[in-house]
Amino acid sequence: MQFAISSQARFANQDNPQAHYEGTGPEIMRQTAGQITHFVSSMGTTGTSMGCSRYFKEVKPEVEIVGLQPAEGAQIPGIRRWPKEYLPSIFDEEGIFAGMSSGGAVSASLKIAAEAPGRVVVCIVCDRGDRYLSTGVFDPPPPAHHSCYYKNLDLTLSQHRKALPEDMPLFMLFTAPWCPDCTTTLPIVNEIFTGQGAGANFSLLRCIVGKTREEWKDPRHPFRSDTRWGPNGLSEIPTLACLGTASSPLVQPRVLSGLEKIDREQVRFKVESFLKEQG
């Protein structure tokens, strides 16, 4: 028996973006130690961009997603612009999609990286791209929210405070992309802080405690002896801490632990209760 599979099926196959949501996105977070700021990909089926961008929106919403397509009138073999009426059905998110093919992705990445020292830009180079797509740009997250790597915490915290209104309360979530409990907690915390609920008027700084579990578990990790986060330092993730306001930081931050191994509703209840207690 022979089966014929339409080439159009790949544009509607939900396993395509799901594979990048479960695999490519987390791998990028691990390899960049959570410091990625921009994600650049040429657009064919849009599966890579859709899967990765959905993951980044949950784990680090401020990552900017840049998609590439040929310029109007460009003649690139095997590639053409997508008319709106022929968008792949798996394309269901918003973003900046502009440019050329894989070479365009590299070119755009170099320009983005050159605009500001210290950017961590990830570029996906496809083996080939038949069709590309352009629709817009992901809305950037509120400027009150940011992420950093633990080795840069004090510098990032100092700069972050300067950018905030003086009376804005500042919170920090200690997290890691490889941690299952963090994967449960982070989207809920992001939603609380970016929505209209208890954390709507607060600032959130997410601190990634290690590129790998081994790095975090190392007894020499500086957070182990940092008594700002408790008498015995920071011992578990995810952990949420209230740092006071931008102009009046607490010498001893207030810490919410116990977010490990509980379900989503329990996480939401504990975090919202903690925020209400902080005023």
Side-chain angles (χ1 to χ4, degrees):
M1 181 178 296
Q2 294 183 341
F3 296 90
I5 301 176
S6 169
S7 63
Q8 298 300 316
R10 57 194 173 125
F11 299 105
N13 186 352
Q14 294 299 324
D15 289 340
N16 180 349
Q18 187 66 23
H20 295 288
Y21 172 79
E22 296 178 358
T24 310
E27 180 181 352
I28 289 171
M29 286 295 288
R30 288 193 299 271
Q31 292 195 18
T32 64
Q35 296 185 81
I36 177 176
T37 60
H38 294 70
F39 176 81
V40 182
S41 176
S42 292
M43 307 289 292
T45 65
T46 73
T48 302
S49 292
M50 295 303 95
C52 289
S53 64
R54 179 158 62 95
Y55 175 79
F56 294 139
K57 275 184 143 182
E58 294 179 1
V59 176
K60 190 176 180 182
E62 66 267 30
V63 173
E64 291 191 22
I65 312 297
V66 181
L68 299 169
Q69 69 170 359
E72 188 70 40
Q75 299 296 321
I76 302 176
I79 302 172
R80 65 178 178 84
R81 296 174 68 91
W82 275 102
K84 290 184 178 180
E85 58 270 25
Y86 291 109
L87 294 181
S89 62
I90 61 174
F91 181 80
D92 60 359
E93 296 190 40
E94 53 186 310
I96 302 178
F97 302 145
M100 296 70 70
S101 61
S102 299
V106 174
S107 176
S109 298
L110 293 174
K111 291 179 181 178
I112 291 168
E115 289 174 356
R119 283 182 172 177
V120 180
V121 182
V122 175
C123 173
I124 298 294
V125 178
C126 314
D127 55 347
R128 68 186 295 263
D130 295 308
R131 300 173 177 88
Y132 294 89
L133 174 67
S134 178
T135 63
V137 60
F138 285 110
D139 291 336
H145 307 294
H146 191 55
S147 298
C148 70
Y149 190 46
Y150 78 93
K151 292 182 179 180
N152 304 320
L153 173 59
D154 290 332
L155 176 60
T156 303
L157 187 56
S158 174
Q159 295 174 339
H160 191 60
R161 283 194 172 111
K162 293 177 182 178
L164 297 178
E166 291 186 353
D167 59 348
M168 177 172 281
L170 173 59
F171 289 77
M172 180 177 298
L173 179 67
F174 295 96
T175 184
W178 43 260
C179 170
D181 292 319
C182 296
T183 301
T184 298
T185 299
L186 184 56
I188 298 172
V189 173
N190 285 339
E191 179 184 336
I192 292 172
F193 275 84
T194 58
Q196 301 299 317
N201 298 315
F202 298 158
S203 173
L204 177 67
L205 181 64
R206 313 172 197 88
C207 180
I208 297 173
V209 301
K211 185 176 180 180
T212 64
R213 184 182 300 275
E214 291 71 26
E215 183 179 14
W216 164 237
K217 293 297 185 180
D218 190 330
R220 297 168 295 180
H221 194 293
F223 285 176
R224 300 296 184 195
S225 57
D226 192 336
T227 55
R228 286 180 294 179
W229 319 119
N232 299 314
L234 185 68
S235 59
E236 64 182 60
I237 55 171
T239 291
L240 184 65
C242 174
L243 309 184
T245 63
S247 60
S248 300
L250 295 174
V251 176
Q252 189 65 53
R254 305 184 189 103
V255 175
L256 173 66
S257 55
L259 297 174
E260 296 179 294
K261 297 178 174 61
I262 58 177
D263 62 34
R264 295 174 58 87
E265 291 307 313
Q266 290 174 306
V267 169
R268 183 179 297 278
F269 176 78
K270 295 189 71 168
V271 170
E272 290 182 339
S273 299
F274 180 67
L275 296 185
K276 290 177 182 178
E277 290 172 3
Q278 311 314 311

mmCIF file of all heavy atoms in Angstrom, residues 105-146:
data_model
loop_
_atom_site.group_PDB
_atom_site.id
_atom_site.type_symbol
_atom_site.label_atom_id
_atom_site.label_comp_id
_atom_site.label_asym_id
_atom_site.label_seq_id
_atom_site.Cartn_x
_atom_site.Cartn_y
_atom_site.Cartn_z
ATOM 1 N N ALA A 105 18.799 36.328 7.365
ATOM 2 C CA ALA A 105 18.752 36.130 8.811
ATOM 3 C C ALA A 105 20.110 36.422 9.434
ATOM 4 O O ALA A 105 20.213 37.062 10.481
ATOM 5 C CB ALA A 105 18.308 34.698 9.123
ATOM 6 N N VAL A 106 21.164 35.941 8.789
ATOM 7 C CA VAL A 106 22.512 36.197 9.292
ATOM 8 C C VAL A 106 22.821 37.687 9.254
ATOM 9 O O VAL A 106 23.356 38.270 10.212
ATOM 10 C CB VAL A 106 23.555 35.407 8.474
ATOM 11 C CG1 VAL A 106 24.964 35.791 8.907
ATOM 12 C CG2 VAL A 106 23.343 33.909 8.639
ATOM 13 N N SER A 107 22.489 38.327 8.143
ATOM 14 C CA SER A 107 22.741 39.753 7.999
ATOM 15 C C SER A 107 22.015 40.560 9.066
ATOM 16 O O SER A 107 22.590 41.448 9.702
ATOM 17 C CB SER A 107 22.299 40.214 6.607
ATOM 18 O OG SER A 107 22.453 41.608 6.463
ATOM 19 N N ALA A 108 20.741 40.216 9.276
ATOM 20 C CA ALA A 108 19.961 40.927 10.292
ATOM 21 C C ALA A 108 20.531 40.702 11.688
ATOM 22 O O ALA A 108 20.580 41.626 12.504
ATOM 23 C CB ALA A 108 18.509 40.477 10.234
ATOM 24 N N SER A 109 20.961 39.484 11.965
ATOM 25 C CA SER A 109 21.526 39.182 13.280
ATOM 26 C C SER A 109 22.777 40.006 13.550
ATOM 27 O O SER A 109 22.978 40.519 14.653
ATOM 28 C CB SER A 109 21.866 37.692 13.375
ATOM 29 O OG SER A 109 20.710 36.906 13.227
ATOM 30 N N LEU A 110 23.634 40.131 12.540
ATOM 31 C CA LEU A 110 24.855 40.916 12.697
ATOM 32 C C LEU A 110 24.530 42.384 12.961
ATOM 33 O O LEU A 110 25.178 43.036 13.792
ATOM 34 C CB LEU A 110 25.729 40.781 11.446
ATOM 35 C CG LEU A 110 26.324 39.388 11.202
ATOM 36 C CD1 LEU A 110 27.045 39.361 9.863
ATOM 37 C CD2 LEU A 110 27.287 39.010 12.327
ATOM 38 N N LYS A 111 23.523 42.902 12.265
ATOM 39 C CA LYS A 111 23.148 44.301 12.479
ATOM 40 C C LYS A 111 22.573 44.500 13.873
ATOM 41 O O LYS A 111 22.878 45.485 14.550
ATOM 42 C CB LYS A 111 22.132 44.719 11.420
ATOM 43 C CG LYS A 111 22.716 44.821 10.011
ATOM 44 C CD LYS A 111 21.647 45.208 9.001
ATOM 45 C CE LYS A 111 22.226 45.285 7.597
ATOM 46 N NZ LYS A 111 21.191 45.623 6.588
ATOM 47 N N ILE A 112 21.732 43.565 14.291
ATOM 48 C CA ILE A 112 21.137 43.659 15.623
ATOM 49 C C ILE A 112 22.216 43.601 16.698
ATOM 50 O O ILE A 112 22.213 44.376 17.656
ATOM 51 C CB ILE A 112 20.109 42.536 15.829
ATOM 52 C CG1 ILE A 112 18.890 42.768 14.934
ATOM 53 C CG2 ILE A 112 19.677 42.440 17.286
ATOM 54 C CD1 ILE A 112 17.955 41.594 14.855
ATOM 55 N N ALA A 113 23.160 42.694 16.545
ATOM 56 C CA ALA A 113 24.225 42.550 17.527
ATOM 57 C C ALA A 113 25.111 43.789 17.570
ATOM 58 O O ALA A 113 25.633 44.157 18.631
ATOM 59 C CB ALA A 113 25.073 41.324 17.195
ATOM 60 N N ALA A 114 25.286 44.444 16.420
ATOM 61 C CA ALA A 114 26.162 45.614 16.371
ATOM 62 C C ALA A 114 25.523 46.850 16.976
ATOM 63 O O ALA A 114 26.222 47.811 17.322
ATOM 64 C CB ALA A 114 26.553 45.897 14.913
ATOM 65 N N GLU A 115 24.198 46.859 17.101
ATOM 66 C CA GLU A 115 23.513 48.041 17.602
ATOM 67 C C GLU A 115 23.819 48.333 19.063
ATOM 68 O O GLU A 115 23.780 49.490 19.485
ATOM 69 C CB GLU A 115 22.003 47.896 17.406
ATOM 70 C CG GLU A 115 21.578 47.999 15.955
ATOM 71 C CD GLU A 115 20.101 47.714 15.773
ATOM 72 O OE1 GLU A 115 19.444 47.370 16.782
ATOM 73 O OE2 GLU A 115 19.620 47.827 14.636
ATOM 74 N N ALA A 116 24.083 47.297 19.864
ATOM 75 C CA ALA A 116 24.350 47.490 21.292
ATOM 76 C C ALA A 116 25.243 46.367 21.793
ATOM 77 O O ALA A 116 24.877 45.188 21.687
ATOM 78 C CB ALA A 116 23.044 47.520 22.081
ATOM 79 N N PRO A 117 26.403 46.684 22.315
ATOM 80 C CA PRO A 117 27.302 45.644 22.856
ATOM 81 C C PRO A 117 26.616 44.859 23.962
ATOM 82 O O PRO A 117 25.842 45.393 24.746
ATOM 83 C CB PRO A 117 28.486 46.468 23.408
ATOM 84 C CG PRO A 117 28.437 47.754 22.655
ATOM 85 C CD PRO A 117 26.982 48.030 22.408
ATOM 86 N N GLY A 118 26.895 43.571 23.996
ATOM 87 C CA GLY A 118 26.350 42.716 25.041
ATOM 88 C C GLY A 118 25.087 41.981 24.668
ATOM 89 O O GLY A 118 24.605 41.147 25.436
ATOM 90 N N ARG A 119 24.526 42.279 23.501
ATOM 91 C CA ARG A 119 23.339 41.535 23.090
ATOM 92 C C ARG A 119 23.689 40.080 22.790
ATOM 93 O O ARG A 119 24.785 39.795 22.305
ATOM 94 C CB ARG A 119 22.724 42.160 21.837
ATOM 95 C CG ARG A 119 21.936 43.429 22.120
ATOM 96 C CD ARG A 119 21.319 43.971 20.847
ATOM 97 N NE ARG A 119 20.410 45.069 21.140
ATOM 98 C CZ ARG A 119 19.775 45.780 20.208
ATOM 99 N NH1 ARG A 119 19.979 45.498 18.932
ATOM 100 N NH2 ARG A 119 18.957 46.748 20.540
ATOM 101 N N VAL A 120 22.776 39.189 23.081
ATOM 102 C CA VAL A 120 22.944 37.770 22.764
ATOM 103 C C VAL A 120 21.905 37.427 21.708
ATOM 104 O O VAL A 120 20.720 37.331 22.004
ATOM 105 C CB VAL A 120 22.773 36.881 24.004
ATOM 106 C CG1 VAL A 120 22.961 35.409 23.646
ATOM 107 C CG2 VAL A 120 23.767 37.286 25.082
ATOM 108 N N VAL A 121 22.313 37.280 20.468
ATOM 109 C CA VAL A 121 21.407 37.104 19.336
ATOM 110 C C VAL A 121 21.502 35.671 18.824
ATOM 111 O O VAL A 121 22.593 35.183 18.535
ATOM 112 C CB VAL A 121 21.749 38.084 18.193
ATOM 113 C CG1 VAL A 121 20.765 37.928 17.040
ATOM 114 C CG2 VAL A 121 21.727 39.517 18.708
ATOM 115 N N VAL A 122 20.379 35.001 18.732
ATOM 116 C CA VAL A 122 20.325 33.643 18.197
ATOM 117 C C VAL A 122 19.715 33.696 16.806
ATOM 118 O O VAL A 122 18.652 34.281 16.601
ATOM 119 C CB VAL A 122 19.489 32.718 19.102
ATOM 120 C CG1 VAL A 122 19.341 31.341 18.459
ATOM 121 C CG2 VAL A 122 20.146 32.590 20.470
ATOM 122 N N CYS A 123 20.373 33.107 15.840
ATOM 123 C CA CYS A 123 19.909 33.114 14.447
ATOM 124 C C CYS A 123 19.738 31.677 13.968
ATOM 125 O O CYS A 123 20.651 30.869 14.096
ATOM 126 C CB CYS A 123 20.914 33.855 13.563
ATOM 127 S SG CYS A 123 20.546 33.763 11.804
ATOM 128 N N ILE A 124 18.583 31.368 13.443
ATOM 129 C CA ILE A 124 18.325 30.047 12.861
ATOM 130 C C ILE A 124 18.586 30.118 11.357
ATOM 131 O O ILE A 124 17.964 30.906 10.640
ATOM 132 C CB ILE A 124 16.879 29.602 13.108
ATOM 133 C CG1 ILE A 124 16.612 29.469 14.615
ATOM 134 C CG2 ILE A 124 16.603 28.284 12.395
ATOM 135 C CD1 ILE A 124 17.407 28.373 15.277
ATOM 136 N N VAL A 125 19.504 29.314 10.869
ATOM 137 C CA VAL A 125 19.796 29.254 9.438
ATOM 138 C C VAL A 125 19.201 27.963 8.884
ATOM 139 O O VAL A 125 19.628 26.870 9.245
ATOM 140 C CB VAL A 125 21.311 29.299 9.175
ATOM 141 C CG1 VAL A 125 21.596 29.193 7.692
ATOM 142 C CG2 VAL A 125 21.900 30.584 9.750
ATOM 143 N N CYS A 126 18.216 28.087 8.020
ATOM 144 C CA CYS A 126 17.527 26.911 7.461
ATOM 145 C C CYS A 126 18.339 26.308 6.314
ATOM 146 O O CYS A 126 19.109 26.995 5.654
ATOM 147 C CB CYS A 126 16.156 27.311 6.943
ATOM 148 S SG CYS A 126 15.210 28.351 8.068
ATOM 149 N N ASP A 127 18.139 25.042 6.069
ATOM 150 C CA ASP A 127 18.786 24.437 4.906
ATOM 151 C C ASP A 127 18.141 24.950 3.612
ATOM 152 O O ASP A 127 18.799 25.098 2.597
ATOM 153 C CB ASP A 127 18.744 22.911 4.976
ATOM 154 C CG ASP A 127 17.335 22.378 5.145
ATOM 155 O OD1 ASP A 127 16.432 23.162 5.458
ATOM 156 O OD2 ASP A 127 17.157 21.167 4.980
ATOM 157 N N ARG A 128 16.831 25.217 3.665
ATOM 158 C CA ARG A 128 16.167 25.859 2.539
ATOM 159 C C ARG A 128 14.839 26.434 3.031
ATOM 160 O O ARG A 128 14.281 25.990 4.022
ATOM 161 C CB ARG A 128 15.930 24.874 1.390
ATOM 162 C CG ARG A 128 14.929 23.790 1.689
ATOM 163 C CD ARG A 128 14.844 22.773 0.558
ATOM 164 N NE ARG A 128 14.341 23.371 -0.663
ATOM 165 C CZ ARG A 128 13.073 23.312 -1.047
ATOM 166 N NH1 ARG A 128 12.202 22.686 -0.274
ATOM 167 N NH2 ARG A 128 12.703 23.852 -2.182
ATOM 168 N N GLY A 129 14.333 27.408 2.345
ATOM 169 C CA GLY A 129 13.045 27.982 2.710
ATOM 170 C C GLY A 129 12.239 28.278 1.465
ATOM 171 O O GLY A 129 12.624 29.116 0.665
ATOM 172 N N ASP A 130 11.124 27.564 1.286
ATOM 173 C CA ASP A 130 10.311 27.729 0.085
ATOM 174 C C ASP A 130 9.452 28.991 0.129
ATOM 175 O O ASP A 130 9.258 29.657 -0.879
ATOM 176 C CB ASP A 130 9.406 26.515 -0.112
ATOM 177 C CG ASP A 130 10.198 25.262 -0.395
ATOM 178 O OD1 ASP A 130 11.044 25.296 -1.306
ATOM 179 O OD2 ASP A 130 9.993 24.266 0.314
ATOM 180 N N ARG A 131 8.928 29.252 1.290
ATOM 181 C CA ARG A 131 8.003 30.387 1.392
ATOM 182 C C ARG A 131 8.253 31.108 2.715
ATOM 183 O O ARG A 131 8.497 30.475 3.730
ATOM 184 C CB ARG A 131 6.551 29.921 1.330
ATOM 185 C CG ARG A 131 6.212 29.198 0.037
ATOM 186 C CD ARG A 131 4.814 28.614 0.117
ATOM 187 N NE ARG A 131 4.451 27.991 -1.139
ATOM 188 C CZ ARG A 131 4.729 26.736 -1.438
ATOM 189 N NH1 ARG A 131 5.376 25.976 -0.585
ATOM 190 N NH2 ARG A 131 4.359 26.240 -2.600
ATOM 191 N N TYR A 132 8.150 32.427 2.716
ATOM 192 C CA TYR A 132 8.362 33.227 3.918
ATOM 193 C C TYR A 132 7.175 34.147 4.161
ATOM 194 O O TYR A 132 6.337 34.326 3.301
ATOM 195 C CB TYR A 132 9.672 34.018 3.784
ATOM 196 C CG TYR A 132 10.874 33.117 3.743
ATOM 197 C CD1 TYR A 132 11.334 32.615 2.528
ATOM 198 C CD2 TYR A 132 11.511 32.719 4.899
ATOM 199 C CE1 TYR A 132 12.420 31.768 2.474
ATOM 200 C CE2 TYR A 132 12.600 31.869 4.858
ATOM 201 C CZ TYR A 132 13.050 31.394 3.641
ATOM 202 O OH TYR A 132 14.124 30.541 3.594
ATOM 203 N N LEU A 133 7.135 34.718 5.289
ATOM 204 C CA LEU A 133 5.922 35.380 5.748
ATOM 205 C C LEU A 133 6.244 36.636 6.548
ATOM 206 O O LEU A 133 7.215 36.672 7.277
ATOM 207 C CB LEU A 133 5.147 34.395 6.619
ATOM 208 C CG LEU A 133 3.905 34.886 7.348
ATOM 209 C CD1 LEU A 133 2.822 35.227 6.341
ATOM 210 C CD2 LEU A 133 3.446 33.820 8.303
ATOM 211 N N SER A 134 5.412 37.675 6.401
ATOM 212 C CA SER A 134 5.634 38.906 7.172
ATOM 213 C C SER A 134 4.299 39.428 7.688
ATOM 214 O O SER A 134 3.364 39.585 6.930
ATOM 215 C CB SER A 134 6.296 39.976 6.296
ATOM 216 O OG SER A 134 6.472 41.169 7.003
ATOM 217 N N THR A 135 4.214 39.668 9.019
ATOM 218 C CA THR A 135 2.965 40.204 9.588
ATOM 219 C C THR A 135 3.149 41.335 10.582
ATOM 220 O O THR A 135 2.253 42.145 10.734
ATOM 221 C CB THR A 135 2.187 39.095 10.324
ATOM 222 O OG1 THR A 135 2.963 38.620 11.412
ATOM 223 C CG2 THR A 135 1.823 37.975 9.376
ATOM 224 N N GLY A 136 4.227 41.450 11.307
ATOM 225 C CA GLY A 136 4.340 42.496 12.322
ATOM 226 C C GLY A 136 5.398 42.175 13.348
ATOM 227 O O GLY A 136 6.350 41.475 13.066
ATOM 228 N N VAL A 137 5.216 42.667 14.550
ATOM 229 C CA VAL A 137 6.213 42.512 15.612
ATOM 230 C C VAL A 137 5.530 42.169 16.919
ATOM 231 O O VAL A 137 4.455 42.633 17.219
ATOM 232 C CB VAL A 137 7.038 43.797 15.784
ATOM 233 C CG1 VAL A 137 6.148 44.962 16.140
ATOM 234 C CG2 VAL A 137 8.132 43.632 16.836
ATOM 235 N N PHE A 138 6.176 41.303 17.702
ATOM 236 C CA PHE A 138 5.676 41.025 19.033
ATOM 237 C C PHE A 138 5.736 42.297 19.867
ATOM 238 O O PHE A 138 6.747 42.980 19.884
ATOM 239 C CB PHE A 138 6.514 39.945 19.721
ATOM 240 C CG PHE A 138 6.243 38.569 19.212
ATOM 241 C CD1 PHE A 138 7.183 37.910 18.457
ATOM 242 C CD2 PHE A 138 5.058 37.940 19.500
ATOM 243 C CE1 PHE A 138 6.946 36.634 17.982
ATOM 244 C CE2 PHE A 138 4.803 36.669 19.035
ATOM 245 C CZ PHE A 138 5.753 36.014 18.276
ATOM 246 N N ASP A 139 4.668 42.612 20.540
ATOM 247 C CA ASP A 139 4.708 43.772 21.418
ATOM 248 C C ASP A 139 5.743 43.541 22.501
ATOM 249 O O ASP A 139 5.771 42.473 23.127
ATOM 250 C CB ASP A 139 3.345 43.993 22.077
ATOM 251 C CG ASP A 139 2.296 44.436 21.077
ATOM 252 O OD1 ASP A 139 2.697 44.999 20.038
ATOM 253 O OD2 ASP A 139 1.109 44.216 21.339
ATOM 254 N N PRO A 140 6.633 44.501 22.760
ATOM 255 C CA PRO A 140 7.628 44.328 23.815
ATOM 256 C C PRO A 140 6.955 44.304 25.181
ATOM 257 O O PRO A 140 5.883 44.896 25.352
ATOM 258 C CB PRO A 140 8.530 45.557 23.671
ATOM 259 C CG PRO A 140 7.653 46.573 23.029
ATOM 260 C CD PRO A 140 6.750 45.807 22.106
ATOM 261 N N PRO A 141 7.534 43.630 26.152
ATOM 262 C CA PRO A 141 6.955 43.607 27.488
ATOM 263 C C PRO A 141 7.109 44.958 28.162
ATOM 264 O O PRO A 141 7.878 45.803 27.692
ATOM 265 C CB PRO A 141 7.793 42.539 28.215
ATOM 266 C CG PRO A 141 9.108 42.604 27.530
ATOM 267 C CD PRO A 141 8.803 42.899 26.088
ATOM 268 N N PRO A 142 6.382 45.196 29.238
ATOM 269 C CA PRO A 142 6.551 46.472 29.939
ATOM 270 C C PRO A 142 8.002 46.666 30.353
ATOM 271 O O PRO A 142 8.684 45.709 30.709
ATOM 272 C CB PRO A 142 5.649 46.293 31.177
ATOM 273 C CG PRO A 142 4.657 45.258 30.781
ATOM 274 C CD PRO A 142 5.383 44.324 29.861
ATOM 275 N N PRO A 143 8.506 47.903 30.308
ATOM 276 C CA PRO A 143 9.909 48.132 30.661
ATOM 277 C C PRO A 143 10.221 47.813 32.105
ATOM 278 O O PRO A 143 11.381 47.739 32.486
ATOM 279 C CB PRO A 143 10.088 49.626 30.370
ATOM 280 C CG PRO A 143 8.714 50.199 30.427
ATOM 281 C CD PRO A 143 7.825 49.127 29.912
ATOM 282 N N ALA A 144 9.185 47.621 32.918
ATOM 283 C CA ALA A 144 9.413 47.319 34.334
ATOM 284 C C ALA A 144 9.857 45.888 34.563
ATOM 285 O O ALA A 144 10.197 45.515 35.675
ATOM 286 C CB ALA A 144 8.140 47.589 35.133
ATOM 287 N N HIS A 145 9.873 45.070 33.509
ATOM 288 C CA HIS A 145 10.212 43.654 33.673
ATOM 289 C C HIS A 145 11.463 43.322 32.864
ATOM 290 O O HIS A 145 11.631 43.763 31.741
ATOM 291 C CB HIS A 145 9.029 42.782 33.252
ATOM 292 C CG HIS A 145 7.756 43.172 33.954
ATOM 293 N ND1 HIS A 145 7.580 43.017 35.313
ATOM 294 C CD2 HIS A 145 6.626 43.743 33.492
ATOM 295 C CE1 HIS A 145 6.376 43.460 35.649
ATOM 296 N NE2 HIS A 145 5.791 43.909 34.559
ATOM 297 N N HIS A 146 12.318 42.506 33.465
ATOM 298 C CA HIS A 146 13.610 42.240 32.851
ATOM 299 C C HIS A 146 14.134 40.911 33.382
ATOM 300 O O HIS A 146 13.648 40.380 34.375
ATOM 301 C CB HIS A 146 14.580 43.370 33.188
ATOM 302 C CG HIS A 146 15.852 43.336 32.395
ATOM 303 N ND1 HIS A 146 15.871 43.324 31.015
ATOM 304 C CD2 HIS A 146 17.137 43.305 32.794
ATOM 305 C CE1 HIS A 146 17.120 43.292 30.604
ATOM 306 N NE2 HIS A 146 17.917 43.270 31.655
#
